[in-house]
Amino acid sequence: AWRAVYEAKLFAYARTMRAAIPHMLRQQRGAIVNISGNGGRYPHFPSHIAGSSGNAAVDLMTKAVSDLYVDQGLRANCVAPGAIRSPRLDSISGADEALKKAANGKVAADVFEKQRRTGAPGDIAQATLFLASDRAKHINGIVLTVDGGATPTV
């Protein structure tokens, strides 16, 4: 399961960037926007440890790429969605419920108890489009949390 997660997250992004970067370098400009997940920094789902660590790896790789190519006109950023209503989120939530039952309720409360609102896929699309646009031309190397205010930080 861990290999599948890293193949789908980290290695797929690495291969895509490896294919795209030479074209961007020829143009002396480009914007990479990877999608990770808020679990890479705040692992809310106990059943999703592999996915959260894969997200953290994508975040780190994105920052490394942003630093590596900044002087050549490339930007690399990452969008980290929080809870986005989807069949995948329902699956993760179901796995967490099963884990809680197996642990006799001793697993921490899930993200929905802290989530102010569950987002829609379009919320992530808008953040991604912004980071890819020239309006974000001076933004490089960030992980943008898009979670409706659920992350407990300033």
Side-chain angles (χ1 to χ4, degrees):
W2 280 66
R3 282 189 184 108
V5 166
Y6 273 76
E7 185 61 40
K9 290 182 181 273
L10 182 66
F11 301 139
Y13 283 117
R15 283 192 296 276
T16 301
M17 287 190 295
R18 185 175 53 208
I21 287 171
H23 302 285
M24 294 177 175
L25 290 174
R26 280 195 291 280
Q27 297 174 32
Q28 297 180 337
R29 68 186 310 260
I32 295 166
V33 183
N34 291 325
I35 310 292
S36 62
N38 207 18
R41 291 175 293 154
Y42 307 100
H44 298 296
F45 295 106
S47 68
H48 198 59
I49 295 169
S52 292
S53 70
N55 289 333
V58 170
D59 293 348
L60 181 73
M61 179 179 63
T62 301
K63 177 60 178 160
V65 168
S66 77
D67 292 344
L68 187 61
Y69 292 106
V70 66
D71 293 333
Q72 297 172 60
L74 273 62
R75 296 181 294 113
N77 294 295
C78 200
V79 173
I84 301 298
R85 190 51 57 200
S86 66
R88 185 170 182 276
L89 183 65
D90 294 340
S91 171
I92 292 169
S93 298
D96 274 359
E97 287 304 315
L99 184 60
K100 284 181 191 179
K101 287 178 185 173
N104 295 321
K106 292 189 166 90
V107 176
D110 70 21
V111 69
F112 296 109
E113 294 173 18
K114 297 175 186 167
Q115 184 72 29
R116 294 198 174 107
R117 75 178 186 94
T118 302
D123 298 323
I124 305 312
Q126 291 300 315
T128 303
L129 287 171
F130 169 70
L131 287 175
S133 76
D134 284 340
R135 294 185 333 189
K137 67 182 178 185
H138 198 60
I139 300 174
N140 188 39
I142 68 158
V143 177
L144 178 64
T145 299
V146 182
D147 70 355
T151 301
T153 62
V154 177

